[in-house]
């Protein structure tokens, strides 16, 4: 078996969920979209079943996968429905849904459910991606209530920059939210992970915890104790080739890395086809048998070359951590000009081991 393994520590997932919910107070949806940010949504939902207040996914297909696996808890569709026909499934599986546009509101008004829906009505408080603008929100809320198609309406919005604590935009979005929803009854939900962790005014009835569940800190260093979150995914592989190169020799595609000294190169089974970011090339951290080293040369489709010059005990069969405990995924994301979210979602081809 190719030794690329994504070890998913479900106990860490539970720890992180409880930490996020305690920070926020109130109830918290565990966000499992994109197959649980690449961690396997069904396994994550099952691991959280006895502690989570509910789950959130992007779309109906993702929710049906959870229901088919026996997940009975509330599940919110964060994108709502794409066509009116989906509402029958929403009703049959007792899903909750976001309504974020005039088109979706009309679909609900035109539906004939036996039981009214549980709706989360999205306000565009400044991110300008989805939701009703502040001047239209109240009318949308009123139409929804008058339609009789909503059993309850949770007032919600989403932050654009909650992961930048010094930036005033989040406070401004909260003020827009409070003004646009003033006097409308019902529960509220405004915070994603970063909002839950560091914006006290974002603490409302429901938090929506995504990246924090998986143990990747969305905040800059210093805003959360370093070890408060526990990384859930540990991506590891093994060395299956070793060579000694003299100084001045190129390594890999494009020959854009050239050895500066006598160099021992280890070859590991992982590449961009596995979801490891190709842009994280020479210099990006890895840990060989727990000791940190770095990638040299470009990341290939199925292989990566690493520097073993200072690790004489490392050789064929040595374990290499791509991210997890010795190497923070945020370091790799920074090296690749990306974010932990994207790296995690892309891990689809590894062998998954749950513990
Ligand atoms: C993805 C998503 C979240 C979770 O965001 P994180 O930054 O991963 O916590 C919360 N709310 C909405 C609407 C989302 O789409």
């Amino acid at each position: 078996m190719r030794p690329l393994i994504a070890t998913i520590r479900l106990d860490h997932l539970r720890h992180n969920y409880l930490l996020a919910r305690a920070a926020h107070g109130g109830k918290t949806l565990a966000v499992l979209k994109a197959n649980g940010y690449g961690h396997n949504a069904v396994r994550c939902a099952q691991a959280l079943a006895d502690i989570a207040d509910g789950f959130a996914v992007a779309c109906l297909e993702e929710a049906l996968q959870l229901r088919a696996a026996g997940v009975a808890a509330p599940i919110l569709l964060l994108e709502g429905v794409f066509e009116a026909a989906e509402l029958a499934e929403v009703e049959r599986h007792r899903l909750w849904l976001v309504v974020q546009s005039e088109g979706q509101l009309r679909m609900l008004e035109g539906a004939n459910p036996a039981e009214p829906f549980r709706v989360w009505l999205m306000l565009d408080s400044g991110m300008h991606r989805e939701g009703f603008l502040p001047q239209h929100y109240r009318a949308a809320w009123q139409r929804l209530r008058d339609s009789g198609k909503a059993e309850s309406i949770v007032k919600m919005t989403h932050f654009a920059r909650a992961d930048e604590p010094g930036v005033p935009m989040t406070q401004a979005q909260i003020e827009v939210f409070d003004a646009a929803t003033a006097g409308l009854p019902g529960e509220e939900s405004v915070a994603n992970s970063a909002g839950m962790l560091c914006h006290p005014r974002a603490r409302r009835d429901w938090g929506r915890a995504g990246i924090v569940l998986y143990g990747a800190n969305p905040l800059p260093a210093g805003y959360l104790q370093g070890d408060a979150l526990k990384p859930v995914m540990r991506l590891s592989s093994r060395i299956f080739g070793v060579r000694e190169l003299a100084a001045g020799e190129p390594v890999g595609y494009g020959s854009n890395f050239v050895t500066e000294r006598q160099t021992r190169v280890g070859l590991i089974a992982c590449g961009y086809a596995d979801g490891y970011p190709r842009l994280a090339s020479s210099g990006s951290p890895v840990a060989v048998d727990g000791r940190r080293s770095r990638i040299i040369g470009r990341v290939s489709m199925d292989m990566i070359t690493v520097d073993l010059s200072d690790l004489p005990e490392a050789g064929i069969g040595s374990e290499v951590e791509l991210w997890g405990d010795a190497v923070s995924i945020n370091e790799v994301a920074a090296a690749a000009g990306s974010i932990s979210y994207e790296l995690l979602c892309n891990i689809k081809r590894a062998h998954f081991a749950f513990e």
Side-chain angles (χ1 to χ4, degrees):
M1 186 191 84
R2 190 157 172 271
L4 180 65
I5 300 174
T7 306
I8 306 297
R9 283 84 58 97
L10 296 168
D11 54 333
H12 291 189
L13 181 77
R14 289 170 62 87
H15 165 91
N16 296 333
Y17 175 82
L18 293 172
L19 182 144
R21 188 171 60 178
H24 180 261
K27 297 171 282 189
T28 294
L29 294 180
V31 181
L32 301 180
K33 64 197 182 196
N35 198 24
Y37 292 40
H39 291 69
N40 189 311
V42 167
R43 297 298 294 258
C44 291
Q46 289 167 341
L48 293 171
D50 62 325
I51 51 175
D53 301 306
F55 300 108
V57 295
C59 58
L60 180 65
E61 289 85 344
E62 293 179 337
L64 294 183
Q65 195 192 11
L66 294 180
R67 283 285 186 257
V71 175
I75 302 175
L76 175 67
L77 306 182
L78 290 169
E79 292 182 345
V81 292
F82 293 87
E83 46 189 327
E86 293 179 24
L87 288 171
E89 295 288 297
V90 169
E91 187 187 358
R92 179 172 316 129
H93 294 281
R94 306 170 321 284
L95 305 173
W96 300 358
L97 77 166
V98 166
V99 169
Q100 58 84 18
S101 66
E102 174 65 26
Q104 290 182 336
L105 180 54
R106 289 215 182 115
M107 288 181 211
L108 237 70
E109 287 175 319
N112 267 311
E115 303 271 335
F117 296 104
R118 301 277 294 261
V119 176
W120 291 44
L121 190 63
M122 176 71 90
L123 170 75
D124 178 359
S125 59
M127 184 169 176
H128 299 336
R129 187 181 64 175
E130 80 275 55
F132 292 88
L133 288 168
Q135 63 270 31
H136 300 143
Y137 191 81
R138 213 164 272 275
W141 188 95
Q142 197 64 49
R143 268 171 61 193
L144 196 51
R145 210 191 54 177
D146 293 348
S147 75
K149 307 293 164 64
E151 170 195 324
S152 58
I153 306 174
V154 177
K155 297 165 281 176
M156 78 181 298
T157 195
H158 193 50
F159 295 139
R161 303 184 68 179
D163 54 351
E164 300 171 85
V167 167
M169 182 166 182
T170 303
Q171 296 308 326
Q173 286 193 264
I174 291 171
E175 275 155 33
V176 170
F177 177 85
D178 285 340
T181 61
L184 298 177
E187 291 183 318
E188 300 179 353
S189 176
V190 300
N192 56 359
S193 295
M196 293 176 71
L197 294 174
C198 81
H199 293 276
R201 287 182 59 206
R203 294 172 186 154
R204 306 290 164 106
D205 300 286
W206 289 92
R208 307 187 305 267
I211 195 70
V212 67
L213 296 180
Y214 308 101
N217 187 355
L219 301 170
Y223 278 90
L224 193 64
Q225 273 179 306
D227 57 356
L229 293 176
K230 297 185 178 180
V232 176
M233 183 190 292
R234 181 168 181 273
L235 185 66
S236 65
S237 190
R238 290 193 182 273
I239 294 177
F240 72 108
V242 176
R243 66 188 52 221
E244 292 275 353
L245 296 176
E249 296 292 334
V251 178
Y253 283 118
S255 304
N256 70 329
F257 178 87
V258 177
T259 55
E260 284 171 356
R261 53 169 179 163
Q262 167 110 358
T263 299
R264 211 161 149 257
V265 183
L267 184 64
I268 63 177
C270 178
Y272 61 78
D274 299 299
Y276 190 89
R278 180 175 173 279
L279 287 175
S281 286
S282 295
S284 301
V286 296
V288 181
D289 287 334
R291 296 185 54 197
R292 284 171 64 104
S293 182
R294 62 187 179 125
I295 292 177
I296 54 180
R298 281 192 188 153
V299 172
S300 303
M301 186 180 286
D302 305 285
M303 288 181 265
I304 293 173
T305 38
V306 299
D307 190 355
L308 301 180
S309 304
D310 297 328
L311 304 173
E313 64 290 353
I316 304 272
S318 291
E319 201 224 37
V320 181
E321 180 184 298
L322 284 317
W323 62 66
D325 299 332
V327 175
S328 154
I329 191 164
N330 284 339
E331 290 177 81
V332 181
S338 183
I339 53 174
S340 61
Y341 301 68
E342 186 184 30
L343 271 53
L344 291 168
C345 290
N346 281 340
I347 300 306
K348 295 175 178 144
R349 216 173 62 149
H351 175 75
F352 276 71
F354 297 90
E355 58 181 43

